[in-house]
Every structure is written in C-alpha cells, then in structure tokens.
Amino acid sequence: MSRVMRQLRRTLTAMLTAGTVLAMPMPATPVVAAAALAAPGRTAPQVPTGHITWRPCTDAGFPGMQCGTMRVPVDWSKPRAAQLDLALVRRKADDPAHRQGTLLLNDGAGGSSIEQLRLATRNGFPDIAGAMTQRFDIVAVDPRGVGHSTPIRCSEPLKPAGVSYFPKNRAAFDKLVAHNRTFAKDCLRRNGPLVAHVDLTSTARDIEAVRTGLGVRRLNWYGIHYSTLLGRTYAALFPGRLRTMTLDTALDDTTSPLTRIVKETTSAEEAFNRFAAWCANSTQCALKGHDVAAEYDALVARADRTPLPVAGGTHRPLTGEDIRGATQDYLNIASVTWPALAKAIVKAQAGDATDFTVDPDGTLDPVQVLVPACLDNARPVSTFEEADRLHKSLAARAPHLGGAVRSQAALAGCLGWPVPARPVRAGHLISGAPPALVIQSTHQALAPHTAGSAMAAQLPGSVVLSREGDDYSMFLLSPCVRAATNRYLTDRVLPAPGTTCTN
C-alpha cells in the first residue's frame, strides 16, 4: 500500500471514529445570512461585478493558499435582487514559469469542494499530483447552497423518527409527504428564494462568473460524481469556455429517473456483495471468517424491530432503513471505507450505531444534497401505488440494501416538494466542449460502469478510461489514472479507447 493510501486510511479512519466536523475556512467577506435573502424591506444590493476578493487563508488546512469570495445573484434572471456569496480556495501552481492554466475542482451538489481539497491536501495530494499541482492553479469552489458558500440550512429534521422513505402502506406514504412539505416550508422560510435556485443551471452560471472573476479565457474542469453533470451542463451553456474536462465517476441522467434508481441500486448491491466476499477472507476486516451478509441482514432486521441507540444522545436511534441508507457511502473506497464498514457493523451489533450517522469523508451535508436533487430530478412517483411498485422491484434486485441508495432517497425526500423541478435536457451532443477524459471504475456503488459511456457519448471525441476496482476519486488512488490525467491536462492527449487501469 502506498504512503498516500496509508495516510488516507489513517485520516478517514480517525474522522469516522471521532465523527469529526471539519473546521471551516473563514470567508473573505461576510456570508449573506440565508434568512436575510428573503427579508422584506431590504435595499437591493448592487449587481455583482465578477470580482473575487482574495486573502491569505488563515485556516491551517490550506497552507500558503488564498481564500476568496465573490457575489452572484440568487436568481440569475434578476441580477439586481438578492445575492449570495460563493467561497473559493486557490492553490497557486508550484512551477509558475510553466503554468498552463487554472483547474477548477468541484464536487457537485451537497459536497464541499473546499473540504475535498482539505482532505486531499492532508493526504499528500500536492506531493503525488505531478503536473496537476506543478502547472495548474487549483481552485476549489463550494456550489451555491453548500458548505462555505451561502449554505442551505433548515431546522426541521430531514427524516425524523416514524418517517420512512420506504412506506409500507398509504398512511405511511401520506405521513412522508406531509413531513416533506413541512420540511420544505421550513427551508423556504429560513433560506428564501435560494431554495428554488440551487439547480444545475443556476450553479453553472455561477461557474461562468467564477471564470470571469479569475480573468481566464478557459477553465480546466475536474468533476467528481454529481459534478460530472454540472461540468456537462456548463459546457452546454458556455461553449468554448473549457480547455479540458476530467470527469471522475460520471453519472447518467439520459435515462428515466426510475431506470436511474434501478441501475444505481444494482451497482450498490453488487458493491455490497463484493465487500462481503472480501470481508469474509481479509485480515483487514473485523468480521473475517463470518457470514458478513447474513450478519448485516440480521443487524438491519434487529434495528427495524428496535432502533439502535447512538452514543452521546445527539442523534435519534437508527432503524434498519437508516443503516441501509448509510451503507452505500461506506462502499466507495475499498481499501479505506470497507474496513470502516466492518467496524461499524461490529460496533452496531454491540449496541452502538453511531458510525452509521457519520459521512465517511466528512464533506457531505444531507440537506444540501437533497434540496438541489429536488430541482434537478423529475418526479415520476406521486402515489403510494407507484412507490410501492418501485420498492418491491428494488427489494427483489437488492436483498441486502433494499434499494436504499442516493437517487431513491432523493425521490422519496422530494415527494410533495412545493418547488417545481427543472431538470436539464440530457443526452444530446454538446458542441463547443473539449473531448473529455471520463474515468469510471469497473465496480462502483454510486454509478455503474456504463454511465461513463453515456456521459462520453454526449461530448464528441471523449474517451472512457476504466479503472479496475471499486473506488471513486481515482486520481488520489491510482498511479495509472494520475499519469493519464496529467498527460491529458498538459498535452490534451487522451488514452486509447478501451484502456483499463489495473493499479
């Protein structure tokens, strides 16, 4: 195991054990309070100028870097109305004499790109990155509504006790819809118009403002997971503004929402089965020698009968549905989060389900994941009968996880949502975009391997670089992926179609 992987494992394990909440970098200018965005009688702020205010970062997690903010409209169709702040962190190129441009790091809906940069920096990213950090300024931007940018904050619980995303009867379905409406009403009250404007199109317009503020003609894009959709959307809206596009763990929104849920469910269930097979025979697994799948199923059934407590009393007891819903993110980096999942199961078997309340990499806020999803995804389910048919289909495909994946949680959490969805049109050829490097694991809990081809097909000339394994965020993990990415960044040369990385 490489030094970077050993450090990554130590860092993530410490975060999981402690339930770490990472410190925020202080923004360069005051963040607009969410409630103030909707406050009546406020004087309309000035139209944003595209100016970024930079200061040296005072946060120890960003040594020698610059922290910045810029203002953009909440509603791009009303540029003189309410505004919000975008937070940025910039790491200047190590070799300015051979600098080739700016690489924008964006982790997509609900994920803080700034915290991803912190995590990568803590785990040796600058030392292993090669040309990426030598020749490119790295700029991490938290999307609107997320993290250190003006955030979406709601006081109602996302899914309180007694509410199920898998309702078993009409009364439970009605209870879910009623709660979602109460939750949305609270979010709207606290955040004002921002709740209706955290969609992909609004966020892509922010990226164009960032490009202008940086004073560069073209950006280089590095997007992970949901940010692959954001990069595709930006490329479609602003042709010619990207020099390169690296898309890690692409998602496929060219199919129907229900098909997308089924495919994600199948991928997550396959990943769980691979975890269980590894765990039964690995010395790195706390359940070595056990029937891991059977013990997991028994834990879920036990928690559904009597919810399991969480240490410290800071979280309600967890049901089996909660445990299933938390498992997918534990399957994303085999060498790091698989051992952590085994420990979480053992700990929960002993009566403490705390580890199933912790995001494995500490960069996601569940509320900030859900609210954009309610805007970016069509809503094909509106009745209990439709939901029940879907859930029975998912249970048949996924006997262990039961279909408790992110896209299903978005569908369930958006039932009754009062703000109309505004999904982007997907599947058409995009002109003016560079041929992209799409990096896709052969096995991944968040996205099937076929999603890489679906993304590449929209961006003429693009190539899918497969990576054998179960991971995402592959630049950190694979020397082969790093080499291919850096060659693409510096020389804009893509690997041969059909290339697979095995390390």
Side-chain angles (χ1 to χ4, degrees):
M1 183 185 299
S2 70
R3 178 182 63 81
V4 170
M5 282 305 305
R6 286 194 297 271
Q7 179 61 28
L8 183 60
R9 172 179 286 180
R10 285 195 295 269
T11 301
L12 289 181
T13 300
M15 290 166 59
L16 287 160
T17 302
T20 303
V21 178
L22 296 174
M24 290 188 176
M26 292 301 294
T29 60
V31 172
V32 177
L37 293 174
R42 285 179 61 88
T43 302
Q46 295 180 349
V47 177
T49 62
H51 174 72
I52 302 175
T53 301
W54 293 106
R55 293 181 181 174
C57 293
T58 57
D59 187 312
F62 303 104
M65 302 185 205
Q66 295 176 308
C67 289
T69 55
M70 72 176 302
R71 300 179 72 85
V72 295
V74 171
D75 181 350
W76 275 99
S77 71
K78 300 176 180 177
R80 295 182 181 276
Q83 297 176 27
L84 59 87
D85 282 354
L86 297 179
L88 308 90
V89 173
R90 177 166 64 183
R91 184 189 187 278
K92 290 291 194 73
D94 291 331
D95 185 0
H98 297 95
R99 179 182 175 277
Q100 290 185 264
T102 296
L103 186 144
L104 199 71
L105 174 67
N106 195 297
D107 196 37
S112 169
S113 306
I114 289 173
E115 293 305 328
Q116 283 283 344
L117 179 60
R118 181 200 302 275
L119 188 62
T121 299
R122 186 181 294 179
N123 288 288
F125 165 68
D127 298 332
I128 67 167
M132 182 182 282
T133 49
Q134 291 166 9
R135 297 192 178 188
F136 294 85
D137 294 347
I138 308 294
V139 176
V141 184
D142 276 0
R144 55 172 52 214
V146 171
H148 308 296
S149 294
T150 300
I152 296 281
R153 298 290 187 212
C154 309
S155 62
E156 283 286 325
L158 188 61
K159 189 164 78 76
V163 170
S164 172
Y165 280 176
F166 293 83
K168 291 183 169 49
N169 52 51
R170 188 169 286 101
F173 179 86
D174 291 343
K175 186 174 184 178
L176 169 62
V177 172
H179 167 71
N180 289 347
R181 287 174 176 155
T182 299
F183 174 80
K185 182 178 179 181
D186 172 71
C187 290
L188 286 163
R189 179 176 62 85
R190 290 179 171 273
N191 302 279
L194 180 58
V195 169
H197 296 284
V198 286
D199 55 292
L200 280 170
T201 299
S202 296
T203 306
R205 294 189 184 283
D206 293 346
I207 299 302
E208 177 62 3
V210 168
R211 183 194 66 80
T212 302
L214 290 170
V216 298
R217 187 170 67 89
R218 290 187 296 175
L219 292 166
N220 298 276
W221 185 274
Y222 195 105
I224 303 173
H225 192 243
Y226 203 85
S227 186
T228 63
L229 303 181
L230 178 58
R232 186 273 321 271
T233 302
Y234 177 73
L237 284 174
F238 300 101
R241 306 296 207 281
L242 291 176
R243 175 180 172 272
T244 62
M245 291 180 73
T246 305
L247 305 176
D248 181 329
T249 312
L251 297 182
D252 178 11
D253 61 349
T254 64
T255 61
S256 73
L258 294 183
T259 298
R260 185 171 172 179
I261 292 172
V262 168
K263 287 185 175 182
E264 185 181 351
T265 291
T266 303
S267 295
E269 187 75 6
E270 179 188 346
F272 178 84
N273 289 334
R274 287 170 62 82
F275 155 74
W278 164 85
C279 198
N281 299 291
S282 173
T283 58
Q284 300 296 318
C285 179
L287 289 166
K288 182 178 184 296
H290 294 232
D291 185 336
V292 179
E295 293 199 20
Y296 178 85
D297 292 345
L299 176 67
V300 167
R302 172 186 164 191
D304 275 334
R305 290 192 302 271
T306 305
L308 297 176
V310 171
T314 58
H315 196 287
R316 63 172 174 78
L318 299 191
T319 64
E321 180 184 316
D322 297 326
I323 290 172
R324 280 174 157 175
T327 299
Q328 185 184 21
D329 283 343
Y330 271 105
L331 298 170
N332 286 327
I333 304 178
S335 62
V336 178
T337 56
W338 285 13
L341 174 57
K343 291 177 181 177
I345 294 171
V346 171
K347 190 172 178 179
Q349 287 173 327
D352 181 359
T354 301
D355 288 357
F356 286 104
T357 68
V358 179
D359 167 42
D361 73 4
T363 65
L364 291 176
D365 181 303
V367 169
Q368 294 167 7
V369 171
L370 177 70
V371 175
C374 290
L375 299 178
D376 290 329
N377 295 289
R379 301 170 197 168
V381 168
S382 59
T383 68
F384 167 69
E385 289 76 16
E386 291 169 340
D388 192 47
R389 283 195 297 272
L390 173 63
H391 296 156
K392 286 175 179 175
S393 172
L394 298 182
R397 293 173 177 272
H400 301 301
L401 299 186
V405 295
R406 287 191 190 181
S407 55
Q408 188 280 332
L411 181 144
C414 298
L415 287 168
W417 197 258
V419 182
R422 52 182 75 171
V424 299
R425 185 169 69 93
H428 61 286
L429 290 178
I430 296 172
S431 61
L437 175 62
V438 182
I439 308 167
Q440 206 79 4
S441 281
T442 54
H443 308 279
Q444 224 292 309
L446 292 171
H449 183 260
T450 55
S453 299
M455 177 60 75
Q458 300 170 71
L459 301 162
S462 299
V463 168
V464 177
L465 173 63
S466 300
R467 195 259 177 155
E468 184 65 40
D470 302 82
D471 305 319
Y472 80 148
S473 197
M474 286 169 276
F475 186 87
L476 277 178
L477 303 170
S478 166
C480 173
V481 168
R482 280 198 296 279
T485 302
N486 279 330
R487 187 182 185 206
Y488 172 59
L489 282 173
T490 54
D491 301 327
R492 288 184 285 182
V493 174
L494 290 165
T499 301
T500 298
C501 286
T502 57
N503 65 9

